[in-house]
Amino acid sequence: MTLSNADLCQEVSKTLAEQTRGWIFLSSLGLRLRQSGYTWEGKLVSILERCDQIALIKDPLVKERILVCPIENKEKCEAQIGSKDAHRELAALPRALVLAFTIQVQQGQHVFVTLGDSVRYEIAQSASSDQQIMISDEYRDTSLPAYKLTELNSDQAKSLLNSITRWAKSNSINLEDLNWKSRSLQKQSAPGQNALSRLLLAIPRDLRSQINIPADIAELLLKHL
């Protein structure tokens, strides 16, 4: 059955009303409509863009990822996309850097990070080298569960990412250079450094004593450059 644009808008509104979370991915919506025997003239996204009662929220990082929701839920859907963006960007950063913005320290101590082939943080009263950069308390929030990024709610993830971004800007640091994908490409070209060495360097010094690497895994890592 071929639907007119108006009928298609109404059918999509009915489908959205059945969604407990209040939205649906455009790809899933198209599949569901076709499984119900419906067809339409033109591109689904172009038609929905002209539906007054429907909002399309596009992911700024993944252009193919589009949320469809009732117009009255537009802000909620935008927050959903924004939350996932913040979580993705935090997950792409070195874990040691994220931890440095949340880990608790004793009075009189500060958190310093070293950026290079690996990112490390250190808790001390003062910097031990010129390469260390302090993260002042104005950027840190020790109430956040950074050890488990998935437990951060939308506001927490955005707040943490904003703090890291402001700190980086104040220190003329390009966060894109710290993205794990970019760093993995750089590490692949680093001569004479095996996978085990890179793993150990990536673990903060104060956490290394808590890490146990099975002998067979360590042997495997030693063989891979």
Side-chain angles (χ1 to χ4, degrees):
M1 178 181 178
T2 301
L3 298 175
S4 66
N5 288 359
D7 289 339
L8 180 60
C9 290
Q10 290 183 0
E11 191 61 37
V12 171
S13 293
K14 292 179 183 177
T15 301
L16 290 174
E18 299 170 354
Q19 306 304 307
T20 56
R21 57 188 177 182
W23 55 269
I24 188 173
F25 286 117
L26 178 65
S27 56
S28 300
L29 174 63
L31 179 61
R32 180 170 299 194
L33 291 172
R34 290 189 179 90
Q35 288 177 338
S36 298
Y38 296 121
T39 58
W40 50 89
E41 298 290 338
K43 293 185 177 180
L44 179 58
V45 64
S46 299
I47 298 173
L48 295 182
E49 285 176 341
R50 299 192 292 271
C51 295
D52 294 335
Q53 68 270 36
I54 294 171
L56 299 181
I57 312 300
K58 299 180 180 180
D59 190 324
L61 298 180
V62 185
K63 64 180 182 179
E64 297 83 5
R65 187 170 176 266
I66 301 176
L67 267 61
V68 183
C69 66
I71 192 68
E72 61 268 22
N73 291 345
K74 183 178 180 180
E75 290 187 3
K76 181 179 179 181
C77 289
E78 288 176 337
Q80 178 74 15
I81 284 287
S83 171
K84 291 185 179 298
D85 286 345
H87 279 88
R88 270 202 302 272
E89 291 190 47
L90 288 172
L93 292 172
R95 176 54 60 91
L97 180 66
V98 178
L99 287 176
F101 282 81
T102 60
I103 197 162
Q104 296 185 7
V105 299
Q106 297 180 356
Q107 187 175 2
Q109 292 185 321
H110 304 284
V111 180
F112 301 88
V113 293
T114 302
L115 308 179
D117 291 338
S118 64
V119 176
R120 303 186 301 275
Y121 75 80
E122 182 177 347
I123 299 173
Q125 292 183 342
S126 59
S128 58
S129 74
D130 293 338
Q131 295 181 336
Q132 289 189 325
I133 306 171
M134 188 174 79
I135 302 177
S136 59
D137 291 342
E138 66 176 296
Y139 299 112
R140 296 180 2 89
D141 186 348
T142 58
S143 68
L144 300 179
Y147 281 99
K148 296 182 179 180
L149 290 178
T150 54
E151 293 184 2
L152 295 175
N153 61 37
S154 173
D155 291 338
Q156 289 175 327
K158 291 177 182 177
S159 176
L160 178 55
L161 181 60
N162 179 60
S163 294
I164 296 175
T165 302
R166 289 190 298 110
W167 169 83
K169 184 177 181 180
S170 69
N171 288 279
S172 301
I173 296 170
N174 183 4
L175 286 180
E176 185 64 26
D177 293 338
L178 302 179
N179 182 287
W180 70 268
K181 290 183 179 179
S182 300
R183 295 182 61 78
S184 64
L185 291 175
Q186 296 171 1
K187 289 172 181 176
Q188 288 175 12
S189 61
Q193 193 177 74
N194 57 50
L196 179 59
S197 297
R198 296 197 299 270
L199 174 62
L200 293 175
L201 286 172
I203 299 173
R205 187 172 302 174
D206 58 326
L207 294 181
R208 290 177 191 174
S209 62
Q210 304 176 30
I211 304 298
N212 292 316
I213 302 177
D216 55 340
I217 300 299
E219 182 179 3
L220 181 64
L221 292 173
L222 282 170
K223 295 178 181 179
H224 285 75
L225 293 177

